Amino acid sequence: GQQVMQIPQYQHVQEGEDFTTYCNSSTTLSNIQWYKQRPGGHPVFLIQLVKSGEVKKQKRLTFQFGEAKKNSSLHITATQTTDVGTYFCAASKRRTYKYIFGTGTRLKVLA
Amino acid sequence: GAGVSQSPRYKVAKRGQDVALRCDPISGHVSLFWYQQALGQGPEFLTYFQNEAQLDKSGLPSDRFFAERPEGSVSTLKIQRTQQEDSAVYLCASILDRAGYEQYFGPGTRLTVT
């Protein structure tokens, strides 16, 4: 079945350093969503990417969808302690309703 | 406005008991997902509703799991004869329109089967 892998699994950074998480699928995707889940909380929607090669920015966050629509990345510039949490990608294939969540990247930011 | 609510927030069940988990989506939201999230893992798709129609139930682990949304709003996930491996957080998410849009998640129900 469809699998969505995320790397790295964990990342510890000093406050102010940059952070990137990557999401990879073995099959072509229809769209991809990114979520953030704080410890003890529920996933909160960040962005959706639909077009091949699409790049979207939200303040310090940059999201990218690969040209082949099989991979995506989330980059955070100058991390802050408020960025702590687990970042998940959620991928959907065409003509299906289900979203497959990636394994997640747990980010810790050291002050 | 109110977000997605789920009840109970915590449930402890003895192995073999039946449980019912409730999801109140955001008013007017057409689509609804149920997910199962094990500790340290990402949410795993269980089932999808568009209004009252269950369009995809391919993620339900066994025939002990049953979900319904009879009037196209509130949804219930029922687990019969609970097993220890059913212990997880069960998340509900609603979407304003059909799948392909932002999912609004509820706080989840943490189920512990002893």
Side-chain angles (χ1 to χ4, degrees), chain A residues 31 33 35 37 42-43 45 48 88 97-99 101-103 106, chain B residues 33 35 37 41-43 45 48 55 58 100-103 105-106:
Chain A
N31 64 71
Q33 298 178 341
Y35 290 83
Q37 186 171 24
H42 57 273
F45 177 84
Q48 174 166 280
F88 292 101
Y97 299 104
K98 67 170 60 175
Y99 278 86
F101 276 73
T103 45
R106 184 178 298 178
Chain B
F33 287 89
Y35 292 93
Q37 186 173 27
Q41 304 294 316
F45 171 85
Y48 168 70
L55 298 185
S58 62
Y101 292 85
E102 173 178 354
Q103 300 181 56
F105 280 84

Side-chain angles (χ1 to χ4, degrees), chain B residues 8-49:
Chain B
R9 292 292 313 279
Y10 303 91
K11 177 69 179 178
V12 179
K14 291 189 188 302
R15 191 174 60 177
Q17 281 185 333
D18 298 349
V19 297
L21 312 180
R22 176 186 169 107
C23 172
D24 282 84
I26 294 173
S27 178
H29 276 202
V30 168
S31 299
L32 185 147
F33 287 89
W34 282 100
Y35 292 93
Q36 181 189 60
Q37 186 173 27
L39 189 64
Q41 304 294 316
E44 284 202 27
F45 171 85
L46 293 178
T47 187
Y48 168 70
F49 289 87

Side-chain angles (χ1 to χ4, degrees), chain B residues 10-98:
Chain B
Y10 303 91
K11 177 69 179 178
V12 179
K14 291 189 188 302
R15 191 174 60 177
Q17 281 185 333
D18 298 349
V19 297
L21 312 180
R22 176 186 169 107
C23 172
D24 282 84
I26 294 173
S27 178
H29 276 202
V30 168
S31 299
L32 185 147
F33 287 89
W34 282 100
Y35 292 93
Q36 181 189 60
Q37 186 173 27
L39 189 64
Q41 304 294 316
E44 284 202 27
F45 171 85
L46 293 178
T47 187
Y48 168 70
F49 289 87
Q50 195 172 103
N51 295 307
E52 69 278 3
Q54 189 175 22
L55 298 185
D56 190 332
K57 56 181 181 179
S58 62
L60 296 176
S62 74
D63 59 7
R64 297 186 295 103
F65 287 70
F66 172 77
E68 60 183 4
R69 194 186 185 200
E71 297 179 358
S73 55
V74 171
S75 178
T76 304
L77 176 67
K78 297 179 179 178
I79 309 174
Q80 296 178 324
R81 304 181 304 281
T82 52
Q83 304 293 316
Q84 281 195 316
E85 61 262 28
D86 299 334
S87 296
V89 175
Y90 290 85
L91 294 164
C92 171
S94 72
I95 303 176
L96 177 61
D97 201 329
R98 63 190 185 283

